Amino acid sequence: MNVELLQHTPEPEKIIAAAAKLCYSSSGIEGILDGLDGEKTEKFLNRLMSMGHESPIEHISFTFGIEGVSRSLLAQFTRHRIASYSVKSQRYVKEGQFEFITPPEIANIPEAKETFLKAMSDDVQSYNKLADILFEKHYADMLAQGMDDKKAKNAAEKKAIEDARYVLPNACETKMIVTMNARSLMNFFHHRCCERAQWEIRDLACRMLELVKEVAPTLFAKAGPSCISGPCPEGGMTCGKIAEKREYFLKTQG
């Protein structure tokens, strides 16, 4: 897995402080950023977070580049709706000898790993065979319709991989660019940094949290699973590791 913070709102915490300043003072737009040094910015942010007033943090956003993750993770990630996603298309990009993600629990058991790798190999062969069969059919049809050779080949390949992709597994590797505002990120961290989240998206969430803490440390000082700042919301399904999680997210990461 490779995760990079590609871009973010300049001076993110100062922008949030300006929004808070506008809410709680008689300041006008002109000069709203004046006087917002590090100390005052931190004071505004701490006040906001203690009050649970989260709307001002929607004014800043973060854009991540993510690769080396599975389509299974993608299905979970896109449930977080207030975000923008651009994902490598299996409709327009031929996978061929596709990369795949191996779950650690499978990798650690020789027999399971052998079975898994065979399944991936079989999928590669099935995908390529289907793509070839469909390509020949579509290519012949398009030539018969009078399309020139180059255009026929390009169009036939697109139509072929459009259907051949149905045999690809959830383990198939994908790449994406994701943009989220800070409030959506907070919600994402609450759910996906949790010990009960699926291992791959939990790993991704923790890496993303480390990156945003570097540029907005005050804002994300208490970000992470919900249990680090209150009771575990999982009830009887709790992991039972609240003290350990608070130690990690509030001290180790902070």
Side-chain angles (χ1 to χ4, degrees), residues 94-96 123-139 156-165 167:
K94 187 173 183 179
E95 291 290 356
D123 280 343
V124 168
Q125 294 179 41
S126 296
Y127 174 82
N128 287 328
K129 184 174 182 179
L130 283 170
D132 289 344
I133 293 170
L134 291 168
F135 172 81
E136 292 300 329
K137 190 266 184 188
H138 295 315
Y139 178 55
E157 180 172 89
K158 175 183 173 297
K159 285 182 67 67
I161 64 176
E162 184 174 67
D163 289 335
R165 63 180 168 156
V167 78

Side-chain angles (χ1 to χ4, degrees), residues 128-194:
N128 287 328
K129 184 174 182 179
L130 283 170
D132 289 344
I133 293 170
L134 291 168
F135 172 81
E136 292 300 329
K137 190 266 184 188
H138 295 315
Y139 178 55
D141 288 348
M142 290 170 182
L143 288 178
Q145 294 169 14
M147 188 177 292
D148 69 62
D149 185 72
K150 184 177 180 179
K151 288 184 177 180
K153 285 181 178 178
N154 289 337
E157 180 172 89
K158 175 183 173 297
K159 285 182 67 67
I161 64 176
E162 184 174 67
D163 289 335
R165 63 180 168 156
Y166 277 77
V167 78
L168 292 172
N170 275 336
C172 193
E173 186 266 354
T174 193
K175 302 172 178 65
M176 67 186 87
I177 289 179
V178 179
T179 300
M180 303 176 82
N181 71 47
R183 192 177 191 180
S184 292
L185 269 176
M186 289 289 193
N187 177 265
F188 175 70
F189 296 144
H190 283 330
H191 291 283
R192 302 302 183 173
C193 289
C194 175

